C-alpha cells in the first residue's frame, strides 16, 4: 500500500511539472519583442493594383441638384408718381407718396386688376410690350397711347378707335374704366387749374393791351397830318402873293419860300416817326397776344383726364404672379417694389462647364423630389439665357423692359446649340441651366424645394468592354492604352476610348489583346 501511494505521488508531481512547462511555453510564444512586432507590421512587397475588365451597358448622364422656382422672374417698380405727384393739393393728397394698400405676395394678377394703391390712388395692370414711361393725357401720341387704347378695348371701354392719339374718346374710356374699378380718373389738379386761369388771364391782358394801343394810334393819326397840311398851305399862299405881284424882291420871295420849306419838312419828320413808333407798339402788342394764345392752346391740348405715369404697369404677358413684395403699407414706393413671375414652374440648376458642353436645348430631364417622386422636364436654356435677371435700381418699369430683353436673347440664340461658349475661356466654370416642367405633377406647390436633376447624354451600343477611367493612359504618340497584367508582368494594349459614365469608360482593343475578366492596372 505504501509503495502504491508513493508511485501516485510521484506521478502527480511529474504531471504538475509537465503542465507548468507547457503553460510557460504557451505564454512565451505569445510575447514578442519590439523588433519582432515591427517586423510583423512591415508592408508587403509592392505590386500593381488591378481591376477586372467588365462587359456591360453604359448610360452617360449629367447629374446635379436644382431648385424649383416660378418662371420668368422680373423686378417690378413704378414708372413715376401716382396721382398728381408730390405737391400738396386741396384734394387732401399728401406731400409724399405713401403705399395705402400693399401688393399681396402669391396673388395672381390679371389685366385690369389693381396691384396696389398709393395715396388712395390705384396702380393698374395692363398687357403690352411698351413699358410705361410717362403720363398719358389729351393730345399725346405714340405707341404707348396705342397700347393703352388696345387694352381699353379688351376691357370693354371703347376709346373711339386705336389711333395712337389720346383724344376725347380715349379720355372718356379711361374715365369709364376708372369708375368701373371704383376710382375717379385723374382730373386736372388745383395747380393745373390755377395755371389754366393764369394763362387765360394773360390772353385777356394781351388783348386789352392790343386794343389800347390800337385806339391810341387811331386818336393821334389825323391831327398830325392836319397840322402839317395847314402849315404847307400857309407857306404856299405867302409865296404865291409874292410871286403874283411881280413886285416882290428876290429876298422877299426867297424868305417866304424858305419858311414854307422848313415848316413842311419838320411836320413830315414828326409824322413819320410817330407812325414808326405806333407800328412797333402794335406789332409788340400783337406778338404778346399771339404768344399768350399759343401758351394757352398748348396747355389746353394736354389739359383734362390723364393716366399718371405711376398708375399703370404694362406686362408683356398676363396673368402674372406676385412672387416677392418688398413694400408694406406706409412705405414710399420708390425703386423696386417686388418681383413678378409667371405661374409656370421651372428648375434652376448649375453644372460644370465640361458637362454643359454635352447639353443641348430640348434634351429630356428626369427630376426626382426628396420624397422619391418623379417628374419630367426639358432643357430650356443654358448659360446667360438661363440666368434670372438681376434686380435693377431706379424708378423705371423693369417688368416690361427686362422681359423684352430676354425675349430678344432667346430669338438670337444658337437654337438647339449647347453652352460651350457660356463658360468663357474656362471650360470648368459653372454654367446656369434652366429646365422647363410642362407638367410639374408632384412638384406642384413645392416652389423653393430642391430636386435631383438627371440628364441622359447617351447609351452604349449594347454591352461593351469597360474599365475604370484610371486604367486609361495616353502615351507619347497620343494613343490611349491600358496595362494588362500577364503573369508576373504587365503588357500595354492600345485601345479606342468610347462612352464614359459613372467613372467607367468604354474601350475597344486594337486586336484581341483585351477581354472580359482581364486584370487592368489602375495604380501601384
Amino acid at each position: 500500500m505504501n509503495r502504491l501511494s508513493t508511485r501516485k505521488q510521484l506521478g502527480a508531481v511529474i504531471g504538475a511539472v509537465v503542465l507548468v512547462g507547457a503553460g510557460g511555453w504557451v505564454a512565451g510564444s505569445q510575447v514578442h519583442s519590439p523588433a519582432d512586432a515591427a517586423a510583423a507590421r512591415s508592408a508587403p512587397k509592392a505590386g500593381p493594383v488591378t481591376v477586372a475588365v467588365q462587359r456591360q451597358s453604359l448610360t452617360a448622364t449629367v447629374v446635379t441638384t436644382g431648385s424649383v422656382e416660378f418662371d420668368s422672374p422680373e423686378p417690378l417698380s413704378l414708372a413715376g408718381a401716382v396721382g398728381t405727384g408730390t405737391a400738396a393739393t386741396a384734394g387732401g393728397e399728401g406731400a409724399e407718396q405713401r403705399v395705402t394698400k400693399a401688393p399681396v405676395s402669391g396673388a395672381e394678377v390679371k389685366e385690369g386688376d389693381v396691384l396696389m394703391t398709393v395715396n388712395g390712388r390705384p396702380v393698374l395692370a395692363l398687357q403690352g410690350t411698351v413699358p410705361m414711361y410717362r403720363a398719358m393725357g389729351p393730345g399725346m401720341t405714340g405707341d404707348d397711347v396705342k397700347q393703352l387704347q388696345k387694352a381699353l378695348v379688351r376691357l370693354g371701354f371703347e376709346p373711339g378707335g386705336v389711333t395712337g392719339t389720346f383724344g376725347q374718346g380715349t379720355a372718356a374710356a379711361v374715365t369709364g374704366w376708372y369708375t368701373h374699378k371704383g376710382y375717379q380718373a385723374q382730373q386736372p389738379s388745383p395747380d393745373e387749374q390755377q395755371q389754366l386761369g393764369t394763362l387765360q388771364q394773360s390772353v385777356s391782358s394781351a388783348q386789352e393791351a392790343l386794343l389800347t394801343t390800337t385806339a391810341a394810334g387811331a386818336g393821334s393819326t389825323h391831327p398830325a397830318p392836319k397840322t402839317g397840311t395847314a402849315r404847307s398851305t400857309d407857306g404856299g399862299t405867302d409865296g404865291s402873293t409874292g410871286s403874283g405881284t411881280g413886285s416882290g424882291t428876290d429876298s422877299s420871295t426867297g424868305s417866304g419860300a424858305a419858311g414854307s420849306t422848313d415848316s413842311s419838312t419838320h411836320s413830315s419828320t414828326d409824322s413819320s416817326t410817330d407812325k414808326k413808333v405806333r407800328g412797333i407798339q402794335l406789332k409788340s402788342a400783337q406778338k404778346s397776344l399771339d404768344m399768350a394764345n399759343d401758351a394757352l392752346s398748348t396747355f389746353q391740348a394736354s389739359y383734362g383726364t390723364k393716366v399718371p405715369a405711376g398708375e399703370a404697369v404694362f406686362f408683356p404677358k398676363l396673368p402674372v404672379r406676385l412672387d416677392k413684395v418688398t413694400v408694406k403699407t406706409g412705405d414710399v414706393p420708390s425703386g423696386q417694389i417686388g418681383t413678378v413671375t409667371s405661374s409656370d414652374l421651372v428648375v434652376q440648376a448649375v453644372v460644370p462647364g465640361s458637362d454643359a458642353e454635352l447639353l443641348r436645348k430640348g434634351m429630356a430631364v428626369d427630376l426626382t423630389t426628396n420624397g422619391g417622386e418623379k417628374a419630367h422636364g426639358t432643357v430650356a436654356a443654358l448659360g446667360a439665357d438661363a440666368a434670372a435677371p438681376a434686380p435693377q435700381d431706379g424708378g423705371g418699369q423693369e417688368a416690361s423692359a427686362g422681359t423684352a430683353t430676354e425675349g430678344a436673347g432667346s430669338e438670337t440664340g444658337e437654337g438647339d446649340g449647347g453652352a460651350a461658349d457660356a463658360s468663357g475661356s474656362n471650360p470648368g466654370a459653372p454654367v446656369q441651366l434652366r429646365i422647363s416642367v410642362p407638367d410639374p405633377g408632384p412638384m406642384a406647390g413645392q416652389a423653393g424645394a430642391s430636386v435631383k436633376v438627371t440628364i441622359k447624354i447617351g447609351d452604349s451600343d449594347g454591352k461593351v468592354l469597360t474599365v475604370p477611367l484610371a486604367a486609361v493612359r495616353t502615351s507619347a504618340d497620343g494613343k490611349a492604352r491600358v496595362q494588362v497584367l500577364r503573369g508576373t508582368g504587365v503588357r500595354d494594349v492600345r485601345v479606342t476610348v468610347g462612352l464614359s459614365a459613372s467613372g467607367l469608360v468604354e474601350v475597344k482593343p486594337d486586336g484581341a489583346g483585351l477581354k472580359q475578366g482581364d486584370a487592368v492596372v489602375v495604380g501601384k
Side-chain angles (χ1 to χ4, degrees):
M1 290 292 295
N2 292 335
R3 185 179 296 178
L4 180 61
S5 175
T6 300
R7 287 180 178 178
K8 286 182 179 180
Q9 290 178 353
L10 180 60
V13 171
I14 293 173
V17 171
V18 170
L19 288 175
V20 171
W25 178 83
V26 170
S29 66
Q30 298 299 317
V31 176
H32 300 282
S33 68
D36 291 338
R41 289 196 299 269
S42 61
K45 185 178 181 180
V49 179
T50 61
V51 174
V53 177
Q54 297 182 2
R55 181 177 293 276
Q56 60 184 331
S57 298
L58 286 181
T59 299
T61 59
V62 172
V63 180
T64 186
T65 300
S67 173
V68 181
E69 300 176 5
F70 286 99
D71 196 13
S72 304
E74 296 292 341
L76 174 65
S77 63
L78 304 185
V82 174
T84 56
T86 59
T89 67
E93 294 192 13
E96 190 173 26
Q97 302 266 295
R98 293 285 179 180
V99 175
T100 49
K101 184 178 180 182
V104 179
S105 179
E108 183 182 66
V109 179
K110 303 182 294 296
E111 187 162 39
D113 284 353
V114 178
L115 283 170
M116 59 188 292
T117 63
V118 177
N119 288 6
R121 300 286 304 167
V123 176
L124 299 153
L126 296 173
Q127 184 169 325
T129 57
V130 180
M132 189 76 172
Y133 64 94
R134 62 174 178 172
M136 286 185 280
M140 290 187 172
T141 61
D143 291 338
D144 54 341
V145 176
K146 183 179 291 187
Q147 182 175 259
L148 172 65
Q149 292 170 333
K150 290 180 179 179
L152 290 169
V153 171
R154 289 193 299 268
L155 292 170
F157 301 94
E158 180 57 50
V162 181
T163 62
T165 299
F166 198 115
Q168 293 302 316
T170 304
V174 168
T175 299
W177 174 38
Y178 269 72
T179 301
H180 177 72
K181 302 302 294 185
Y183 298 92
Q184 182 180 7
Q186 185 63 52
Q187 301 301 318
S189 67
D191 286 345
E192 291 173 324
Q193 295 174 11
Q194 182 179 359
Q195 186 176 358
L196 177 63
T198 300
L199 292 173
Q200 290 173 333
Q201 182 60 42
S202 297
V203 172
S204 298
S205 298
Q207 289 174 334
E208 183 179 351
L210 178 61
L211 291 173
T212 301
T213 303
T214 303
S220 61
T221 300
H222 298 290
K226 286 181 180 180
T227 303
T229 302
R231 290 174 182 174
S232 176
T233 301
D234 291 343
T237 301
D238 292 341
S240 176
T241 302
S243 87
T245 59
S247 60
T249 63
D250 289 342
S251 66
S252 173
T253 303
S255 176
S260 175
T261 300
D262 292 342
S263 176
S264 176
T265 301
H266 181 73
S267 176
S268 175
T269 301
D270 290 345
S271 177
S272 176
T273 301
D274 290 344
K275 286 181 179 180
K276 289 181 179 179
V277 170
R278 286 194 298 273
I280 293 173
Q281 290 174 338
L282 285 172
K283 287 182 179 179
S284 178
Q286 184 64 56
K287 184 176 181 180
S288 296
L289 178 59
D290 291 342
M291 291 176 63
N293 277 323
D294 289 343
L296 178 60
S297 298
T298 300
F299 184 76
Q300 286 179 327
S302 62
Y303 186 81
T305 301
K306 296 180 180 179
V307 180
E311 289 194 12
V313 180
F314 284 98
F315 298 94
K317 184 180 179 181
L318 287 172
V320 295
R321 176 184 172 276
L322 279 169
D323 185 48
K324 298 177 182 177
V325 175
T326 57
V327 294
K328 60 183 182 299
T329 300
D331 286 349
V332 177
S334 60
Q336 184 174 332
I337 61 176
T339 304
V340 296
T341 68
S342 73
S343 299
D344 300 328
L345 287 178
V346 296
V347 174
Q348 293 284 152
V350 175
V351 295
S354 56
D355 286 344
E357 292 178 354
L358 306 174
L359 303 180
R360 298 290 183 272
K361 292 180 182 179
M363 281 186 167
V365 182
D366 291 328
L367 304 168
T368 307
T369 67
N370 291 332
E373 297 173 301
K374 302 286 186 179
H376 303 285
T378 303
V379 175
L382 294 162
D385 291 342
Q392 302 179 17
D393 296 329
Q397 189 183 359
E398 296 91 340
S400 294
T403 305
T405 302
E406 183 180 351
S410 297
E411 291 176 2
T412 59
E414 295 296 330
D416 61 351
D421 60 343
S423 58
S425 59
N426 183 2
V431 174
Q432 191 77 23
L433 173 67
R434 186 171 76 244
I435 301 164
S436 62
V437 189
D439 182 12
M443 295 195 315
Q446 293 193 27
S450 61
V451 293
K452 179 182 177 182
V453 177
T454 305
I455 306 173
K456 182 178 177 181
I457 303 302
D459 292 319
S460 62
D461 186 13
K463 293 185 176 182
V464 295
L465 293 178
T466 64
V467 299
L469 286 169
V472 180
R473 293 170 173 78
T474 302
S475 57
D477 60 0
K479 301 294 184 179
R481 286 177 167 79
V482 295
Q483 291 183 320
V484 183
L485 186 64
R486 294 280 190 256
T488 58
V490 295
R491 174 189 172 194
D492 281 351
V493 177
R494 184 181 296 178
V495 295
T496 301
V497 176
L499 186 71
S500 63
S502 303
L504 299 176
V505 61
E506 174 189 358
V507 290
K508 297 178 181 178
D510 293 352
L514 189 68
K515 64 183 184 299
Q516 181 179 359
D518 283 348
V520 292
V521 178
V522 295
K524 295 184 179 296

